[in-house]
Structures are given as structure tokens and as C-alpha cells.
């Protein structure tokens, strides 16, 4: 009897053991096998996708794992399962994990590349995307909108991923809160590397957007931490928080031309983040605050030069009785224990105040509600060189309480200096981009505000309990956070710098066939040298990579004569094309374009630099079509003559805040006999947070131009935010106006010589069509 009992017990243990180990790896090699495996998957299963290219596949990963036994979909080898073509991934169910996929060379056929939902009724919860890469996975045309990661449901995570290169409309990542299934979601976005996102030229290009205007009163509790944002330049908001109770901790924003913005919603925590700038850019921002109850603590701001909406700290004015999609008054906000090091005008209050525009804007757009019940305490400012305006008041500071703030402004007084105590202290370099006080500031008495005792650690994790001081860092710390160690972010398997490796090569072109072959076969970054005097070009050269084309002889320019069809370009600028043309004469036959974007399918931007060239006899020098965009257009030491049109960047005429180029720089150039506009550069729509485009024209001459231009304006820059005209000569141009500048924005002129060329007009408030 005892023996029989032992045998039965042993059999039971064996069956239990078998059941415990029934979870399995299911290896799949095609979509049919994949779909079958997903349909049969049970908790603990791992579906393994075979290495190789998986093109034109729509993955619908539906399953129900549990906390101890999730269902996993993973690459056979991380990074060697590439998802391309018209492909996307949607998840629905519970406790799902996606690991190691590589999205490239394609675009989503739907509204998202990865979505934590199958449909409105089937969302994902407690699910993760890990160690996954999405690079340049753009729609064919930049105005087509999508999201690369769309959060729905609750308790989902994006962890240790690399995402880079989104150039079309729409946030890179969005957290949706529509419906009870997705509020109070507690999502996590952690340990990711967000690579460069090029500027879009208008709104709707955030890297992360949490919620939207119409769900902005909902609780989200999204957690964004330990991410690296590398040159995320899509628009003015790198992160747009539009819901309540979100947390942003320990992220690095590196040379990203935008800000972390509490755009809608309330009660956010912004703690322990690094904002690293660049002396060469005035577009890199820090934190912009709208709404109620935010705590901004332990943040470090370094070499930020951004202005107004992109200033290191921008505390905005609100709109009385603001609708959900506009600006709620700042109230009950705490800004404490932060450090601003070598930043320009770092603290700005009442940003967006616009009473001076009440003549052209309706009352619903007037931002007149000043910040109130806001505490700015125990902060540290340091400037190597004195700053004339470390505090900027765009409106009254009556609602701001300044308590125990410390500044070294090199002894130079400034407006509103009552908010800070001047003290001589020095900094030392802890590591690249990180300076810390090198002498004791413990003798400076701190403000002990309500719940300030809950700020228990500093930026580096040091305790504030027994050694608390002003600023983000306690004392002369020796603990290095290794900010620029990129290996801490994203997947281990992806080489962030791999695509940039390789030395440039020089190609010689003695004939037009040589030139065409070199353009087609050269690698990005290569140089093509023109060794002959004359080149007869009959069809456009397609520029889809970074190339330099220059004459072999600096003193004798090679001549390219273009005889292609009317309204076709000599140089066709394709997505990612970047051409530098140096020391070349380019001639047309009055009916073609010298340079033009594609008329459609401009999935990414292009760049154009023209140095020491002569361009003559074209219909248009540069034709930027609708939905095309350039980050940089530069003309230097170049002569343009006998053309009908100059630089046309005015195709975005929908008045939605978009425009065709971010930066246009013209220096030491000559424009002779251009019949119509020399420059037509347009941005329409009242979008107060757009800070572009940028036009700088210096030391150039304009002679006998504009006679046939219908609008009578030589340099037409309507709606462009930043315009500077300096040291130019305008002689004999039969126009009504040389330019009409926007006085309320950053439009300036100086030392221009105007003879028989109409007026240079400054109009304070341009009437613009409302976008909202």
C-alpha cells in the first residue's frame, strides 16, 4: 500500500513537472507561421522570428500572459530581424513582450508603427516593447501623419529602445487617454535613446506627447525617466505633457532645439533632468510651464541660449477662462533647487504676454493672466560673463515669490535683482557638460517651504537631509553621472554611430557622364571635383545624399549649362539630399529651375549650400514645392543674374503654421536683374509657439530686381518670425517695398543703403489667420 502511494505521488510530481516546463519556443519563418503561433500562444511561450527581412507584414500580437509568465515575441538574434516595407505592429491583451526588432526601410500602412491596441475594444495592458529600433520609418510625404509608438491601455512600457529620424507630421510617441481603458495608465518610457529628429517647419513634431487638449483634465501618471534626447529638433516642444500627474526624471536633453513643456494638464514632477545647450544655437530650450501644481526641482541647465518660448525656464501667461486647447494660468508652482550655468536670460516670467496684439487678435487669444502663487526658491545661477537680464519680466512679477536664490553674475547688478542674492563662488568641472560648485555654500540660509522636506536627494542622488544647499547639486561632488555615456541608453546591440563611420572620398569628373556616374555612385560625404571647363547637362542630377561638387581650379569656374525641359531643375533635391556647390557657373535657358525639391514624396528634408558661384538665366533659382522642407539654405559670395524668380519658399499656403525652410542665410551675394521676388518666404497661421523660420541677409546687393513682381515686395517674408537685414545695398529696384518686417517679432534691419527701391516697412502686428 505504501509502495503504491509512493508511485502515485511520483507520477503526480512528474505530471506537475511536465506541466511546469510545457512553455516552449515557437520558431517561425513567415507570416503564416507567425499568425498561427500567436493564435496558439499560452502564458510563458516565446515566439521566435527567424533572422532576415520581414517585409509588408502587419503583426497583430494578441495574447494573454500573466505577470510570472508573459508571452514573448522576439527576434532570433536581436537586430537581425528587420521589419520593412508597409509593416506595422499592434498589441492587444495582457503581459506581452516584444524584444529586439528592427524597423527600417519602410513606413507604416496605418496611423502608427507600433500601437498598444488592436482596436477600440482590445488594448494592451502590462506589456512591453524592449531592445527595439525604429529608424527613418517615414511616410512617403512629410505632411502625412503617423505615430511611431502609440500608447493605449494601462501599465505599458517602452524600454531600452533606439528611435531616430522621424521627419513626417505627428509626434514620435504619443500616449492616448481617450476612454476609461487608457486613463490612470501608469505607462513607463525609460532608458531609451531618442536620436536626432530634424525640424519639421511647423507644429506637430514632438518627440513625446502625453495626451491631447481634449483629454488634458484626465489623470495619466506616465513616467518618463533615464532617456537621452539627442538633437530632437522637430518643433518647439520636445516633450508636450497634456495630462495630469506625469513625472519626468533624470533625462538628458542634449542640444535639442525645443523644451520640456507642461502644455496642458497639471501636477507634473520635473526632477533631476539635464538640459545641455550649445553656444551656436539660440533655439535650444529648457522647461516651459503652463498650468497648476507643478514641481520643478533638481534640474541642471547648461549653456542654453534659447529665447522667450525656448528660454531655459519659461513661465507663461495664461488666457482668462481659457479653452482646453489654449493656455491655462500658471498657479501654485514650485521651482526649487535648480542650477542654471552660463545660460542666457535663464528665468523668464509672463512669457507669451500679448496685450500689444489685441488689435489683431480676438479676446480669446490674449494671454493676460500672470503667474500667481508661484515659488522660486533655493536656486543657483552662475555666469562666467555677466548677464544683463538673468531675470526677464514680460509682465508683472507680483505673483512670484523669490526665496533664498543665489547668483554669481560677476558682481554686475541687473533688473529684478531682489529675487537673488549676489555671491562670489566658483565652479569646477566634474565631467563634460557638468560644472559643480567647488566651494562650500552651506552658510547660505535656505528657504524651508511647505513640503520642501520631501526634496530628499539632489541631482546626483546625494542626500539633502544633513547637507542641504542651494542649486541642483549638494557640495563639491565627486560622483560622476557619465551623462554622455551613450551605452546607458537604448539597446545594447545597436551601434548608434555605425552609419556615420567611413572617410569621405574624392571623385574626378572630366565629362558630364563622369559627373552623373559620380553623383550616383558616391557615398554620402564624398566630394566631386570638376576637372573640365564645360559640362552640357540635359537631365536633372538627382541629389539624395550629402555631396560637394566643386571646380578643380579656384580661379576658373567650371560651367554647367542646363538644357533640360522647362520647369525642371538642374539639381533635383531628393529626401536627405545635401548639396554643397562651390566655385561653379550654372546657366539655364530662362525656362528651367537651377534647384528644386521633388514635387511629391519628400519624406525627409534636404539642404543646399552655394558658395562662390554664378547662377544665370533660370526661371527660378530655387523652387521649394509644397510639403518640401530644408533645414539650411545658404548662399555665400555668389552672383545671381537674369533670372525671373529667386528663392521660392512659399508653397505652404494652408496657414497652419508650416513653412518650407528653417534657416535661410545669404551673405555677400549679388542679385542683378531678377524680374520678380528675390526671396519669397512664407509662414501663415497664428501659431505663437513657432519660432521659425530664420532669414539672415547680410552684405549683399540687389540691383534692378523686382520690376515684374505683382505684390511689389522684393524680399517677401510674411509671417517669418526671425528676419535680419544688415549692411545690404538696394539700388534701382522698381518695387513698392524692399521688405515688410514684423515689428512684434524678431525682425530687424540696420545699415542698409536703399536707393530708388521703395521703402523698408516695419508693421508691428501682421494680421494672421487663427489656427485654432
Amino acid at each position: 500500500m505504501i509502495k503504491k502511494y509512493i508511485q502515485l505521488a511520483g507520477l503526480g510530481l512528474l505530471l506537475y513537472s511536465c506541466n511546469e516546463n510545457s512553455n516552449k519556443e515557437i520558431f517561425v519563418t513567415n507570416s503564416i507561421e507567425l499568425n498561427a503561433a500567436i493564435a496558439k500562444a499560452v502564458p510563458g511561450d516565446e515566439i521566435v522570428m527567424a533572422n532576415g527581412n520581414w517585409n509588408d507584414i502587419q503583426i497583430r500580437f494578441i495574447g494573454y500572459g500573466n505577470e510570472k509568465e508573459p508571452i514573448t515575441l522576439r527576434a532570433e538574434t536581436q537586430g537581425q530581424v528587420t521589419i520593412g516595407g508597409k509593416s506595422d505592429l499592434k498589441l492587444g491583451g495582457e503581459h506581452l513582450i516584444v524584444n529586439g526588432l528592427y524597423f527600417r526601410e519602410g513606413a507604416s500602412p496605418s496611423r502608427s508603427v507600433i500601437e498598444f491596441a488592436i482596436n477600440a475594444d482590445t488594448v494592451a495592458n502590462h506589456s512591453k516593447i524592449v531592445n527595439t529600433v525604429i529608424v527613418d520609418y517615414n511616410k512617403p510625404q512629410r505632411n502625412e501623419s503617423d505615430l511611431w509608438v502609440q500608447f493605449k491601455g494601462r501599465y505599458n512600457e517602452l524600454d531600452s529602445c533606439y528611435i531616430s529620424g522621424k521627419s513626417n507630421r505627428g509626434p514620435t510617441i504619443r500616449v492616448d487617454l481617450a476612454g476609461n481603458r487608457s486613463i490612470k495608465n501608469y505607462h513607463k518610457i525609460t532608458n531609451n535613446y531618442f536620436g536626432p529628429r530634424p525640424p519639421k517647419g511647423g507644429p506637430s513634431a514632438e518627440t513625446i506627447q502625453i495626451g491631447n487638449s481634449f483629454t488634458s483634465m484626465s489623470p495619466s501618471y506616465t513616467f518618463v525617466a533615464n532617456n537621452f534626447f539627442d538633437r530632437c529638433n522637430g518643433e518647439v516642444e520636445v516633450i508636450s505633457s497634456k495630462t495630469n500627474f506625469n513625472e519626468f526624471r533624470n533625462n538628458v536633453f542634449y542640444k535639442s532645439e525645443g523644451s520640456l513643456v507642461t502644455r496642458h494638464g497639471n501636477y507634473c514632477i520635473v526632477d533631476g533632468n539635464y538640459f545641455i545647450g550649445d553656444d551656436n544655437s539660440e533655439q535650444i530650450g529648457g522647461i516651459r510651464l503652463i498650468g497648476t501644481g507643478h514641481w520643478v526641482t533638481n534640474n541642471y541647465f547648461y549653456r542654453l541660449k534659447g529665447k522667450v518660448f525656448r528660454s531655459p525656464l519659461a513661465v507663461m501667461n495664461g488666457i482668462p477662462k481659457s479653452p482646453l486647447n489654449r493656455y491655462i494660468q500658471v498657479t501654485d508652482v514650485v521651482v526649487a533647487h535648480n542650477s542654471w550655468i552660463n545660460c542666457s536670460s535663464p528665468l523668464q516670467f509672463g512669457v507669451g504676454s500679448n496685450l500689444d496684439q489685441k488689435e489683431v487678435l480676438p479676446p480669446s487669444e490674449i494671454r493676460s493672466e500672470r503667474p500667481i502663487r508661484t515659488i522660486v526658491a533655493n536656486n543657483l545661477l552662475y555666469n562666467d560673463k555677466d548677464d544683463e537680464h538673468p531675470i526677464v519680466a514680460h509682465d508683472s512679477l507680483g505673483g512670484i515669490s523669490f526665496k533664498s536664490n543665489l547668483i554669481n553674475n560677476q558682481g554686475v547688478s541687473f533688473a529684478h535683482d531682489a529675487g537673488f542674492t549676489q555671491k562670489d563662488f566658483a565652479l569646477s568641472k566634474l565631467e563634460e557638460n557638468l560644472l559643480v560648485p567647488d566651494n562650500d555654500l552651506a552658510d547660505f540660509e535656505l528657504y524651508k517651504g511647505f513640503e520642501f522636506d520631501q526634496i530628499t536627494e539632489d541631482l546626483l542622488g546625494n542626500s539633502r537631509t544633513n547637507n542641504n544647499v542651494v542649486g541642483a547639486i549638494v557640495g563639491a561632488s565627486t560622483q560622476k553621472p557619465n551623462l554622455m555615456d551613450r551605452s546607458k541608453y537604448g539597446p545594447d546591440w545597436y551601434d548608434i554611430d555605425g552609419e556615420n563611420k567611413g572617410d569621405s572620398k574624392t571623385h574626378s569628373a572630366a565629362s558630364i557622364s563622369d559627373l552623373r556616374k559620380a553623383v550616383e555612385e558616391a557615398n554620402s560625404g564624398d566630394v566631386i571635383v570638376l576637372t573640365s571647363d564645360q559640362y552640357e547637362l540635359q537631365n536633372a542630377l538627382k541629389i539624395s545624399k550629402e555631396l560637394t561638387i566643386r571646380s578643380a581650379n579656384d580661379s576658373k569656374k567650371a560651367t554647367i549649362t542646363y538644357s533640360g525641359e522647362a520647369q525642371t531643375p538642374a539639381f533635383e533635391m531628393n529626401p536627405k539630399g545635401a548639396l554643397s556647390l562651390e566655385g561653379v557657373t550654372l546657366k539655364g535657358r530662362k525656362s528651367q529651375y537651377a534647384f528644386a525639391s521633388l514635387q511629391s514624396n519628400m519624406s525627409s528634408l534636404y539642404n543646399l549650400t552655394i558658395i562662390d558661384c554664378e547662377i544665370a538665366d533660370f526661371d527660378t533659382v530655387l523652387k521649394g514645392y509644397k510639403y518640401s522642407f530644408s533645414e539650411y539654405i545658404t548662399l555665400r559670395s555668389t552672383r545671381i543674374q537674369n533670372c525671373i524668380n529667386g528663392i521660392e519658399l512659399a508653397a505652404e499656403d494652408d496657414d497652419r503654421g508650416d513653412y518650407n525652410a528653417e534657416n535661410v542665410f545669404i551673405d555677400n551675394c549679388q542679385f542683378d536683374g531678377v524680374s520678380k521676388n528675390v526671396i519669397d518666404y512664407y509662414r501663415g497661421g497664428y501659431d505663437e509657439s513657432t519660432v521659425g523660420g530664420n532669414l539672415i541677409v547680410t552684405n549683399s546687393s540687389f540691383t534692378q530686381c523686382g520690376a515684374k513682381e505683382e505684390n511689389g515686395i522684393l524680399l517677401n517674408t510674411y509671417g517669418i518670425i526671425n528676419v535680419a537685414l544688415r549692411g545690404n545695398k538696394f539700388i534701382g529696384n522698381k518695387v513698392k517695398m524692399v521688405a515688410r518686417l514684423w515689428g512684434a517679432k524678431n525682425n530687424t534691419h540696420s545699415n542698409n543703403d536703399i536707393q530708388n527701391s521703395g521703402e523698408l516697412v516695419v508693421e508691428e502686428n501682421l494680421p494672421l489667420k487663427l489656427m485654432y
Side-chain angles (χ1 to χ4, degrees), residues 439-581:
N439 53 328
D440 191 7
L441 301 176
D443 59 341
F444 185 74
E445 185 175 354
L446 297 178
Y447 174 71
K448 298 179 182 179
F450 177 68
E451 292 189 337
F452 273 42
D453 58 332
Q454 295 184 19
I455 311 173
T456 58
E457 294 183 345
D458 74 349
L459 175 68
L460 304 178
N462 300 312
S463 174
R464 289 189 178 273
T465 303
N466 297 316
N467 185 31
N468 203 5
V469 296
V470 294
I473 299 172
V474 172
S477 178
T478 59
Q479 179 183 348
K480 296 183 179 181
N482 298 315
L483 293 182
M484 301 308 296
D485 180 3
R486 300 183 180 188
S487 66
K488 299 193 302 180
Y489 314 94
D492 293 338
W493 60 264
Y494 186 76
D495 183 0
I496 294 169
D497 298 315
E499 296 181 1
N500 300 322
K501 293 179 180 178
D503 298 326
S504 63
K505 297 180 180 179
T506 299
H507 309 258
S508 294
S511 65
I512 194 66
S513 60
D514 288 347
L515 175 57
R516 190 175 296 280
K517 182 179 179 181
V519 168
E520 292 173 354
E521 296 182 358
N523 293 319
S524 189
D526 285 1
V527 177
I528 301 172
V529 177
L530 305 178
T531 58
S532 297
D533 295 335
Q534 299 287 333
Y535 297 80
E536 296 291 332
L537 180 63
Q538 296 179 343
N539 303 105
L541 291 171
K542 301 180 187 299
I543 307 299
S544 59
K545 65 197 83 169
E546 182 181 349
L547 293 176
T548 297
I549 299 176
R550 66 174 182 231
S551 296
N553 191 336
D554 292 338
S555 61
K556 186 176 181 180
K557 294 180 174 65
T559 298
I560 300 175
T561 302
Y562 182 54
S563 59
E565 295 182 4
Q567 298 185 329
T568 64
F571 292 91
E572 180 187 86
M573 304 305 298
N574 284 246
K576 294 193 173 182
L579 174 64
S580 181
L581 190 68

Side-chain angles (χ1 to χ4, degrees), residues 281-301:
S281 174
E282 294 185 350
Q283 311 301 328
I284 300 170
I287 296 171
R288 178 155 57 98
L289 297 175
I290 303 106
T292 293
H294 309 302
W295 278 64
V296 179
T297 55
N298 288 323
N299 299 287
Y300 175 85
F301 307 82

